[in-house]
Amino acid sequence: KNEVEQSPQNLTAQEGEFITINCSYSVGISALHWLQQHPGGGIVSLFMLSSGKKKHGRLIATINIQEKHSSLHITASHPRDSAVYICAVRRLNTGNQFYFGTGTSLTVIP
Amino acid sequence: GAGVSQTPSNKVTEKGKYVELRCDPISGHTALYWYRQSLGQGPEFLIYFQGTGAADDSGLPNDRFFAVRPEGSVSTLKIQRTERGDSAVYLCASSRSRGEGLFFGSGTQLSVL
Protein backbone atom coordinates (compact mmCIF):
# COMPACT_ATOMS: atom_id res chain seq x y z
CA LYS A 1 0.00 0.00 0.00
CA ASN A 2 1.30 3.45 -0.89
CA GLU A 3 2.02 5.63 2.11
CA VAL A 4 0.52 8.60 0.25
CA GLU A 5 -2.89 8.40 -1.41
CA GLN A 6 -4.43 11.10 -3.55
CA SER A 7 -7.97 11.57 -4.77
CA PRO A 8 -9.34 11.92 -7.28
CA GLN A 9 -6.87 10.46 -9.77
CA ASN A 10 -8.43 12.44 -12.60
CA LEU A 11 -10.54 15.56 -12.46
CA THR A 12 -12.24 17.58 -15.19
CA ALA A 13 -13.75 20.93 -14.34
CA GLN A 14 -15.35 23.85 -16.11
CA GLU A 15 -13.50 27.14 -16.02
CA GLY A 16 -14.41 29.06 -12.89
CA GLU A 17 -15.21 26.05 -10.74
CA PHE A 18 -13.81 25.57 -7.25
CA ILE A 19 -11.54 22.52 -7.17
CA THR A 20 -10.40 20.34 -4.29
CA ILE A 21 -7.70 17.70 -4.43
CA ASN A 22 -7.16 15.49 -1.42
CA CYS A 23 -4.10 13.79 0.02
CA SER A 24 -4.08 11.23 2.82
CA TYR A 25 -0.98 9.68 4.31
CA SER A 26 -0.40 6.88 6.74
CA VAL A 27 2.95 7.75 8.28
CA GLY A 28 4.30 10.38 10.62
CA ILE A 29 5.57 13.35 8.69
CA SER A 30 7.52 16.52 9.29
CA ALA A 31 6.30 18.32 6.19
CA LEU A 32 4.00 17.96 3.22
CA HIS A 33 4.51 19.46 -0.23
CA TRP A 34 2.05 20.16 -2.99
CA LEU A 35 3.72 20.06 -6.39
CA GLN A 36 2.52 20.96 -9.88
CA GLN A 37 3.70 19.17 -13.00
CA HIS A 38 2.74 20.40 -16.46
CA PRO A 39 2.82 17.99 -19.43
CA GLY A 40 6.38 17.72 -20.64
CA GLY A 41 7.50 20.15 -18.01
CA GLY A 42 9.30 20.04 -14.76
CA ILE A 43 7.84 19.97 -11.31
CA VAL A 44 7.18 23.16 -9.39
CA SER A 45 6.72 23.24 -5.66
CA LEU A 46 3.53 25.11 -4.78
CA PHE A 47 3.43 24.80 -1.02
CA MET A 48 5.32 23.29 1.88
CA LEU A 49 3.14 22.75 4.94
CA SER A 50 3.73 21.46 8.42
CA SER A 51 0.53 22.78 9.96
CA GLY A 52 -2.50 24.93 9.28
CA LYS A 53 -3.13 26.66 6.00
CA LYS A 54 -1.28 28.56 3.30
CA LYS A 55 -2.62 30.71 0.47
CA HIS A 56 -0.96 31.88 -2.71
CA GLY A 57 -3.13 33.66 -5.22
CA ARG A 58 -6.00 31.34 -6.14
CA LEU A 59 -4.38 28.36 -4.46
CA ILE A 60 -5.04 27.33 -0.88
CA ALA A 61 -3.47 24.38 0.91
CA THR A 62 -4.54 23.01 4.27
CA ILE A 63 -3.24 20.24 6.45
CA ASN A 64 -4.67 18.38 9.44
CA ILE A 65 -1.82 16.58 11.14
CA GLN A 66 -4.06 14.63 13.51
CA GLU A 67 -6.16 13.29 10.64
CA LYS A 68 -3.15 12.82 8.36
CA HIS A 69 -4.89 14.69 5.57
CA SER A 70 -4.21 17.65 3.33
CA SER A 71 -6.24 19.41 0.68
CA LEU A 72 -5.30 21.65 -2.20
CA HIS A 73 -8.00 24.06 -3.33
CA ILE A 74 -8.10 26.10 -6.52
CA THR A 75 -10.59 28.94 -6.65
CA ALA A 76 -11.91 30.34 -9.94
CA SER A 77 -10.14 27.62 -11.92
CA HIS A 78 -8.64 28.47 -15.30
CA PRO A 79 -7.47 26.30 -18.21
CA ARG A 80 -3.87 27.17 -17.40
CA ASP A 81 -4.36 25.34 -14.08
CA SER A 82 -4.52 22.10 -16.08
CA ALA A 83 -1.65 19.97 -14.80
CA VAL A 84 -0.84 17.03 -12.55
CA TYR A 85 -0.85 17.92 -8.88
CA ILE A 86 1.30 15.76 -6.65
CA CYS A 87 1.34 15.44 -2.89
CA ALA A 88 4.68 14.57 -1.29
CA VAL A 89 5.45 13.96 2.38
CA ARG A 90 8.72 14.03 4.25
CA ARG A 91 8.61 11.13 6.64
CA LEU A 92 9.80 11.44 10.20
CA ASN A 93 12.92 9.48 11.10
CA THR A 94 13.95 8.74 7.53
CA GLY A 95 16.52 11.45 7.12
CA ASN A 96 15.15 13.69 4.45
CA GLN A 97 13.38 11.22 2.20
CA PHE A 98 10.18 12.23 0.47
CA TYR A 99 7.31 9.94 -0.54
CA PHE A 100 5.03 10.91 -3.37
CA GLY A 101 1.42 10.29 -4.26
CA THR A 102 0.62 9.20 -7.80
CA GLY A 103 -0.81 12.59 -8.64
CA THR A 104 -4.15 14.06 -9.66
CA SER A 105 -4.52 14.97 -13.31
CA LEU A 106 -6.60 18.14 -13.58
CA THR A 107 -8.14 19.39 -16.81
CA VAL A 108 -9.97 22.71 -16.78
CA ILE A 109 -12.22 23.22 -19.80
CA PRO A 110 -12.87 26.75 -21.07
CA GLY B 1 22.31 28.95 -12.30
CA ALA B 2 18.82 30.11 -11.53
CA GLY B 3 17.33 26.64 -11.29
CA VAL B 4 18.14 22.96 -11.17
CA SER B 5 19.64 21.92 -14.48
CA GLN B 6 19.56 18.37 -15.82
CA THR B 7 21.36 17.10 -18.88
CA PRO B 8 20.68 15.63 -21.28
CA SER B 9 16.98 16.35 -21.53
CA ASN B 10 16.53 13.20 -23.60
CA LYS B 11 18.69 10.11 -23.85
CA VAL B 12 18.05 7.16 -26.13
CA THR B 13 20.24 4.14 -25.64
CA GLU B 14 20.34 0.47 -26.44
CA LYS B 15 19.78 -2.31 -23.98
CA GLY B 16 23.01 -3.22 -22.22
CA LYS B 17 24.67 0.18 -22.62
CA TYR B 18 25.96 2.46 -19.87
CA VAL B 19 24.44 5.91 -19.33
CA GLU B 20 25.21 8.91 -17.17
CA LEU B 21 22.66 11.52 -16.22
CA ARG B 22 23.80 14.83 -14.81
CA CYS B 23 22.18 17.17 -12.30
CA ASP B 24 23.43 20.66 -11.50
CA PRO B 25 21.55 21.89 -8.41
CA ILE B 26 20.86 25.42 -7.36
CA SER B 27 24.01 27.02 -6.01
CA GLY B 28 24.27 26.62 -2.26
CA HIS B 29 21.76 23.80 -2.02
CA THR B 30 23.27 21.08 0.11
CA ALA B 31 20.54 18.49 -0.30
CA LEU B 32 20.15 16.74 -3.66
CA TYR B 33 17.64 14.07 -4.60
CA TRP B 34 17.22 11.71 -7.52
CA TYR B 35 13.79 10.37 -8.42
CA ARG B 36 12.45 8.20 -11.20
CA GLN B 37 9.02 8.73 -12.68
CA SER B 38 7.23 6.30 -14.93
CA LEU B 39 4.27 7.34 -17.04
CA GLY B 40 1.19 7.95 -14.92
CA GLN B 41 3.04 7.45 -11.65
CA GLY B 42 4.35 9.76 -8.99
CA PRO B 43 8.10 10.20 -8.57
CA GLU B 44 9.87 7.24 -6.96
CA PHE B 45 12.73 8.01 -4.60
CA LEU B 46 16.16 6.75 -5.64
CA ILE B 47 18.86 8.45 -3.58
CA TYR B 48 19.45 11.50 -1.41
CA PHE B 49 22.73 13.36 -0.90
CA GLN B 50 23.52 15.72 1.92
CA GLY B 51 26.70 17.42 0.78
CA THR B 52 29.04 14.91 -0.81
CA GLY B 53 27.73 11.83 0.93
CA ALA B 54 24.78 9.65 0.05
CA ALA B 55 22.63 10.01 3.15
CA ASP B 56 20.06 7.53 1.88
CA ASP B 57 20.43 5.27 -1.16
CA SER B 58 17.67 2.85 -0.21
CA GLY B 59 15.66 3.68 -3.30
CA LEU B 60 18.24 2.50 -5.82
CA PRO B 61 16.58 -0.53 -7.42
CA ASN B 62 19.71 -2.67 -7.81
CA ASP B 63 23.47 -2.49 -8.12
CA ARG B 64 23.31 -1.36 -11.74
CA PHE B 65 22.40 2.07 -10.40
CA PHE B 66 24.97 4.30 -8.77
CA ALA B 67 25.17 8.02 -8.06
CA VAL B 68 27.97 10.34 -7.03
CA ARG B 69 28.33 13.92 -5.90
CA PRO B 70 32.08 14.27 -5.42
CA GLU B 71 32.27 17.99 -4.67
CA GLY B 72 28.89 18.47 -3.05
CA SER B 73 27.42 20.24 -6.05
CA VAL B 74 26.90 18.46 -9.39
CA SER B 75 25.65 14.90 -9.18
CA THR B 76 25.79 12.12 -11.74
CA LEU B 77 23.42 9.17 -11.80
CA LYS B 78 25.04 6.19 -13.51
CA ILE B 79 23.18 3.21 -14.89
CA GLN B 80 25.09 0.15 -16.07
CA ARG B 81 23.82 -2.54 -18.42
CA THR B 82 20.61 -0.65 -19.08
CA GLU B 83 17.37 -2.58 -19.41
CA ARG B 84 14.13 -1.60 -21.13
CA GLY B 85 12.49 -1.33 -17.72
CA ASP B 86 14.87 1.52 -16.86
CA SER B 87 13.02 3.74 -19.34
CA ALA B 88 11.52 6.61 -17.37
CA VAL B 89 11.97 10.27 -16.57
CA TYR B 90 14.78 10.76 -14.09
CA LEU B 91 14.19 13.82 -11.95
CA CYS B 92 16.66 15.69 -9.80
CA ALA B 93 15.69 18.05 -7.01
CA SER B 94 17.65 20.15 -4.57
CA SER B 95 16.96 22.08 -1.40
CA ARG B 96 18.97 24.45 0.74
CA SER B 97 18.97 22.09 3.70
CA ARG B 98 16.76 19.69 5.53
CA GLY B 99 13.29 21.06 5.94
CA GLU B 100 13.48 23.52 3.07
CA GLY B 101 11.39 23.59 -0.08
CA LEU B 102 12.23 21.35 -3.02
CA PHE B 103 13.23 22.64 -6.42
CA PHE B 104 13.05 20.25 -9.35
CA GLY B 105 14.88 20.06 -12.63
CA SER B 106 13.03 19.38 -15.88
CA GLY B 107 14.13 15.78 -15.89
CA THR B 108 15.95 13.48 -18.27
CA GLN B 109 13.75 11.26 -20.40
CA LEU B 110 15.65 7.97 -20.72
CA SER B 111 14.54 5.53 -23.38
CA VAL B 112 16.17 2.12 -23.53
CA LEU B 113 15.48 0.38 -26.82
Side-chain angles (χ1 to χ4, degrees):
Chain A
K1 181 182 181 297
N2 199 2
E3 289 95 343
V4 183
E5 300 280 350
Q6 285 186 237
S7 63
Q9 285 189 308
N10 294 282
L11 181 58
T12 301
Q14 291 288 333
E15 183 173 359
E17 284 186 11
F18 179 83
I19 288 163
T20 296
I21 299 170
N22 295 298
C23 175
S24 296
Y25 51 92
S26 58
V27 295
I29 70 168
S30 55
L32 180 145
H33 290 251
W34 279 104
L35 310 168
Q36 181 190 55
Q37 185 173 33
H38 283 278
I43 296 176
V44 175
S45 180
L46 299 174
F47 294 103
M48 182 174 71
L49 294 163
S50 54
S51 66
K53 175 180 172 178
K54 287 190 176 179
K55 184 176 187 295
H56 185 254
R58 295 180 295 105
L59 301 177
I60 303 166
T62 64
I63 188 168
N64 186 317
I65 296 293
Q66 286 73 29
E67 295 185 3
K68 291 186 165 60
H69 181 269
S70 175
S71 293
L72 176 68
H73 305 285
I74 305 175
T75 62
S77 59
H78 189 276
R80 65 174 173 266
D81 297 327
S82 299
V84 175
Y85 292 83
I86 302 171
C87 172
V89 301
R90 179 155 51 84
R91 278 184 70 170
L92 287 171
N93 305 319
T94 61
N96 212 7
Q97 188 178 136
F98 285 83
Y99 292 82
F100 291 76
T102 54
T104 295
S105 179
L106 171 66
T107 303
V108 181
I109 300 169
Chain B
V4 178
S5 175
Q6 288 189 248
T7 54
S9 56
N10 283 283
K11 176 69 177 178
V12 180
T13 190
E14 292 180 344
K15 181 175 179 293
K17 298 289 188 183
Y18 168 83
V19 296
E20 290 189 352
L21 311 179
R22 176 188 167 107
C23 172
D24 197 344
I26 294 172
S27 178
H29 281 197
T30 57
L32 185 146
Y33 307 80
W34 282 101
Y35 295 92
R36 177 169 69 174
Q37 187 176 25
S38 300
L39 195 63
Q41 301 294 317
E44 172 194 12
F45 171 78
L46 296 176
I47 186 169
Y48 154 58
F49 287 91
Q50 183 63 40
T52 59
D56 184 348
D57 64 358
S58 62
L60 295 177
N62 52 59
D63 62 7
R64 294 187 298 105
F65 287 75
F66 189 70
V68 295
R69 193 185 186 199
E71 297 178 358
S73 177
V74 171
S75 175
T76 304
L77 178 65
K78 308 180 181 192
I79 310 174
Q80 298 178 318
R81 304 184 303 280
T82 52
E83 299 177 357
R84 292 195 180 85
D86 298 335
S87 297
V89 175
Y90 288 81
L91 293 164
C92 176
S94 71
S95 68
R96 192 181 304 277
S97 64
R98 292 178 62 170
E100 297 287 330
L102 274 179
F103 295 83
F104 282 83
S106 297
T108 294
Q109 172 72 64
L110 175 65
S111 301
V112 182
L113 304 179

